[in-house]
Amino acid sequence: MEETQRARSHTVTTTASSFAENFSTSSSSFAYDREFLRTPPGLLIVAEIILGLLVWTLIAGTEYFRVPAFGWVMFVAVFYWVLTVFFLIIYITMTYTRIPQVPWTTVGLYFNSSAFILYLSAAIVDATSVFPEKESHNYNSWAASSFFAFLVTICYAGNTYFSFIAWKSRTIQ
């Protein structure tokens, strides 16, 4: 009986130590895909981040709470800005190769198409809510945010196209 316990403990120790070795080896080396930023989807993601930041900072710097429609624009702009930064980190660090269980092409397609649709609605709401106010800087900021919101919408439309092509061909991104 004692020999059986020793054999089990040795097996458990070996299994645990091999797990620790595999874990420490795989997590200590981070991959970095510098070439991703030179691809059309990578360039579009960088443009989405920069232009999206402009959209929500131009609105946040005003008294946007006086016009309820700008709450929707702020929600869409900040929400998709944070998620786009998250996806950029995933693509640059090549995290998608470490989690093969996630269908990344499908996730990318859903993300970009939802961002396109919601950003289009936010850009339209933004444009229709712009009105001049006396003695206020809000008009210029709101007009500029509307312009940049449409540019971000175009970027998400482009990434939706590239995501659809990748999804259709079933390539892993």
Side-chain angles (χ1 to χ4, degrees), residues 7-154:
R8 282 187 191 163
S9 66
H10 178 68
T11 304
V12 170
T13 304
T14 304
T15 306
S17 65
S18 65
F19 172 75
E21 288 173 10
N22 288 338
F23 181 74
S24 65
T25 306
S26 66
S27 65
S28 65
S29 62
F30 284 107
Y32 175 69
D33 186 9
R34 186 174 298 151
E35 295 300 315
F36 175 74
L37 294 176
R38 295 182 181 154
T39 64
L43 292 172
L44 286 171
I45 287 177
V46 170
E48 291 162 1
I49 291 171
I50 293 169
L51 297 172
L53 180 66
L54 284 171
V55 170
W56 66 264
T57 55
L58 283 167
I59 293 175
T62 65
E63 298 168 351
Y64 70 91
F65 51 85
R66 293 173 51 196
V67 181
F70 287 123
W72 170 248
V73 178
M74 283 291 290
F75 169 75
V76 171
V78 173
F79 180 74
Y80 279 107
W81 185 81
V82 169
L83 287 179
T84 303
V85 168
F86 175 72
F87 275 106
L88 179 64
I89 292 168
I90 286 176
Y91 288 134
I92 286 180
T93 60
M94 299 176 66
T95 303
Y96 59 90
T97 60
R98 294 174 182 230
I99 311 171
Q101 299 85 356
V102 176
W104 289 106
T105 53
T106 306
V107 169
L109 178 62
Y110 287 154
F111 170 73
N112 287 311
S113 59
S114 70
F116 167 68
I117 291 167
L118 292 180
Y119 238 110
L120 180 61
S121 72
I124 292 169
V125 166
D126 195 358
T128 58
S129 300
V130 174
F131 56 90
E133 292 182 333
K134 292 181 180 179
E135 300 177 16
S136 178
H137 69 283
N138 291 346
Y139 176 77
N140 291 334
S141 295
W142 292 342
S145 72
S146 175
F147 173 75
F148 290 122
F150 279 106
L151 289 181
V152 176
T153 302
I154 293 168

